[in-house]
Amino acid sequence: MSPIQFQKHIKLQEARRILLSEATDAADVAFRVGYESPSQFSREYSRMFGFPPKEDITRLRNKYEKRMNA
């Protein structure tokens, strides 16, 4: 992994953490972690996690709720 890829990985992991723990939107988080373009952030997020930010967070929250209710 190149240094730039590593930095992107860290930024996207932090974005995912923020989206899961705070009531905020993807565009705000994109800027907070250093992206200038929300659309670029969404594309890179989707490439890394397999889903766009909103869908990924919804999926993860639903998965967590199912585990808590089991």
Side-chain angles (χ1 to χ4, degrees):
M1 180 181 292
S2 74
I4 291 172
Q5 289 172 320
F6 179 73
Q7 183 180 33
K8 185 186 303 184
H9 182 82
I10 297 298
K11 286 169 42 171
L12 291 169
Q13 288 286 356
E14 176 65 4
R16 194 182 210 191
R17 185 196 66 76
I18 293 168
L19 286 166
L20 280 168
S21 64
E22 298 179 17
T24 188
D25 64 5
D28 179 55
V29 172
F31 291 118
R32 286 173 61 183
V33 298
Y35 282 85
E36 293 181 17
S37 166
S39 60
Q40 180 67 23
F41 166 75
S42 185
R43 279 192 301 276
E44 292 185 6
Y45 188 102
S46 295
R47 278 189 210 121
M48 182 167 178
F49 298 114
F51 298 95
K54 186 175 182 178
E55 188 177 339
D56 182 49
I57 297 309
T58 300
R59 185 182 62 81
L60 290 172
R61 286 183 177 149
N62 288 340
K63 190 176 179 179
Y64 176 77
E65 287 175 11
K66 285 179 184 176
R67 285 186 182 176
M68 295 305 293
N69 292 328

